[in-house]
Amino acid sequence: MSPNATNRKVLVTGGAGYIGSHACVALCDAGYQPVIYDNLCNASRHVPARIAEVAGVPVDFVQGDIRDADGLRGVFREFEPCAVIHFAGLKSVGESVREPGRYQDNNVGGTHVLLRSMDEAGVRTLVFSSSATVYGDPDVVPITESAPVRTTNPYGQTKLDIECLLGELYEASPDWGIACLRYFNPVGAHPGGRMGEDPSGIPNNLMPFIAQVAVGRRERLQVFGGDWPTPDGTGVRDYIHVMDLVEGHVAMLRLLERGPGLHHINLGTGRGVSVLELVRAFEAASGRSVPYDIVARRPGDIAECWADPTLARSRLGWRASRDLAEMCADAWRWQHLNPQGYGD
Ligand code: NAD
Ligand code: UDP
């Protein structure tokens, strides 16, 4: 790719979603021009305008599906992006167990179509949203990128399948620049309080659930298991501020500008935090109490999972800089200023 003074456009699939929307702001801040391509199956139609408001520049938005080759062709022709950041995908583990075919079709099938469209358009730079779920239940923590990959559910299988597809693509065409960024647990929100995570229905993830309890939308948190082999008996994860995470994408894009390659990189903080530690940090940040009950373990859960972020630091010159208090403060600001999320 050659992002230069004239072409700083980046196609952002899934750019209206939680992480994609924050990435668009970070891209604008870094002088890129995001072009959002999202079918809005899990995002509000108000998001593109919010991104533009927060970034202070107009942002292009096309409503479309990554499985629609004609739609993608039109976007590549109209905007001529120099790179793609690929966030679009379905992400609920429970739903993927019930509807594995839909997850394969949307996530893996959609990526096939996207890659073909990129090839046709001569765009060979791709940053893909992978996940720490590719490590399954890790043998050791912290997890390095050389740990074995395995899958524990159909959602995780789609991430593994796509990583495999991208590996094969790079082997066949080493002029591509490809990054699989393996996210740990993204939380928090843009500090301005205008953008954040807005899950539809009952949140699956811990942080949005805690935030909804604190704001009074839900009564109590259920803590899934108090008997894990961890210091306080609750699950341990590597929570990373979404702004740190998306800044990691900008750093990745800059590295890919320098030449082709295939990268697998963890984006995490390197620090494990338990469920109860997160509850206490959120209470401190919000001044609200978060009542909870300890209940049975959630099927498929693991005890602990956190990153070794060394490779990201050495290769990208990037490290997460925002601490747990800031993650909770920013999540709380978004939640209490927008108790119903984007409101549609
Ligand atoms: P999200 O659901 O908020 O965003 C995904 C976006 O993709 C949504 O806006 C949705 O409308 C869109 N989309 C889905 N299928 C599409 C399709 N076929 N065509 C066009 N648009 C489509 O999720 P997120 O939390 O922002 O996650 C973004 C990516 O990061 C996903 O690929 C997810 O699997 C991955 N990821 C997320 C987490 C996390 O905890 N949030 C962790 C690891 C990896
Ligand atoms: N968790 C919980 N109650 C909830 C949601 C999550 O106790 O309502 C726990 C879960 O068991 C895990 C941690 O919080 O230990 C993070 O869960 P999340 O679903 O956010 O992330 P993941 O398990 O995918 O890493």
Side-chain angles (χ1 to χ4, degrees), residues 17-19 38-39 41-43 65-66 87 91 106 155 159:
Y18 169 47
I19 303 171
D38 195 305
N39 66 3
C41 72
N42 196 37
D65 196 297
I66 53 167
F87 295 102
K91 63 166 183 178
N106 193 82
Y155 163 71
K159 294 294 179 198

Side-chain angles (χ1 to χ4, degrees), residues 93 185 203-209 221-225 228 234-237 239 275 298 301-303 305:
V93 171
N185 289 61
N204 290 311
N205 296 111
L206 180 61
M207 181 67 117
F209 202 106
L221 169 72
Q222 293 194 320
V223 175
F224 299 141
W228 292 101
T234 66
V236 170
R237 297 291 186 274
Y239 298 96
V275 174
R298 183 170 63 177
D301 257 358
I302 58 176
C305 170

Side-chain angles (χ1 to χ4, degrees), residues 53-82:
E53 175 200 313
V54 172
V57 290
V59 171
D60 291 304
F61 167 59
V62 176
Q63 184 168 353
D65 196 297
I66 53 167
R67 291 164 297 178
D68 174 5
D70 289 337
L72 279 174
R73 197 170 293 124
V75 167
F76 279 108
R77 201 175 296 134
E78 180 177 351
F79 296 98
E80 300 185 331
C82 59

Side-chain angles (χ1 to χ4, degrees), residues 11-12 17 44 55 74 117 124-125 146 161 169 193 262 280 290 297 303:
L11 182 65
V12 185
S44 161
S117 311
R124 302 215 155 79
T125 302
S146 58
D161 289 350
L169 171 63
L262 174 65
R280 281 193 296 272
V290 177
R297 293 179 181 187

Side-chain angles (χ1 to χ4, degrees), residues 259-302:
L262 174 65
H263 306 264
H264 296 90
I265 300 183
N266 289 339
L267 294 185
T269 65
R271 177 170 177 240
V273 169
S274 77
V275 174
L276 295 184
E277 243 181 291
L278 187 60
V279 168
R280 281 193 296 272
F282 202 92
E283 288 182 329
S286 64
R288 302 279 178 100
S289 78
V290 177
Y292 65 84
D293 300 306
I294 296 193
V295 301
R297 293 179 181 187
R298 183 170 63 177
D301 257 358
I302 58 176

Side-chain angles (χ1 to χ4, degrees), residues 1-207:
M1 91 171 188
S2 53
N4 48 42
T6 54
N7 186 0
R8 304 278 289 172
K9 289 195 178 145
V10 177
L11 182 65
V12 185
T13 75
Y18 169 47
I19 303 171
S21 58
H22 289 78
C24 288
V25 170
L27 285 167
C28 292
D29 288 349
Y32 291 93
Q33 296 168 31
V35 177
I36 301 170
Y37 188 78
D38 195 305
N39 66 3
L40 300 185
C41 72
N42 196 37
S44 161
R45 64 197 157 85
H46 300 303
V47 171
R50 285 282 175 106
I51 296 170
E53 175 200 313
V54 172
V57 290
V59 171
D60 291 304
F61 167 59
V62 176
Q63 184 168 353
D65 196 297
I66 53 167
R67 291 164 297 178
D68 174 5
D70 289 337
L72 279 174
R73 197 170 293 124
V75 167
F76 279 108
R77 201 175 296 134
E78 180 177 351
F79 296 98
E80 300 185 331
C82 59
V84 176
I85 306 186
H86 178 29
F87 295 102
L90 302 173
K91 63 166 183 178
S92 158
V93 171
E95 196 177 64
S96 78
V97 172
R98 292 189 297 275
E99 301 178 78
R102 187 157 79 94
Y103 271 64
Q104 272 290 319
D105 174 55
N106 193 82
N107 295 5
V108 185
T111 302
H112 271 288
V113 178
L114 175 67
L115 294 175
R116 270 199 304 276
S117 311
M118 288 178 68
D119 196 40
E120 243 177 63
V123 179
R124 302 215 155 79
T125 302
L126 176 69
V127 178
F128 168 61
S129 300
S130 190
S131 165
T133 190
V134 300
Y135 298 118
D137 191 352
D139 302 324
V140 281
V141 280
I143 307 172
T144 63
E145 289 81 356
S146 58
V149 292
R150 47 172 83 112
T151 170
T152 51
N153 57 67
Y155 163 71
Q157 185 66 51
T158 68
K159 294 294 179 198
L160 270 186
D161 289 350
I162 295 168
E163 283 203 2
C164 180
L165 187 63
L166 294 174
E168 288 165 359
L169 171 63
Y170 181 72
E171 206 165 300
S173 310
D175 57 332
W176 279 65
I178 299 173
C180 298
L181 298 181
R182 294 174 174 165
Y183 310 161
F184 281 69
N185 289 61
V187 296
H190 186 274
R194 296 287 289 160
M195 289 173 48
E197 186 170 11
D198 182 19
S200 50
I202 302 172
N204 290 311
N205 296 111
L206 180 61
M207 181 67 117

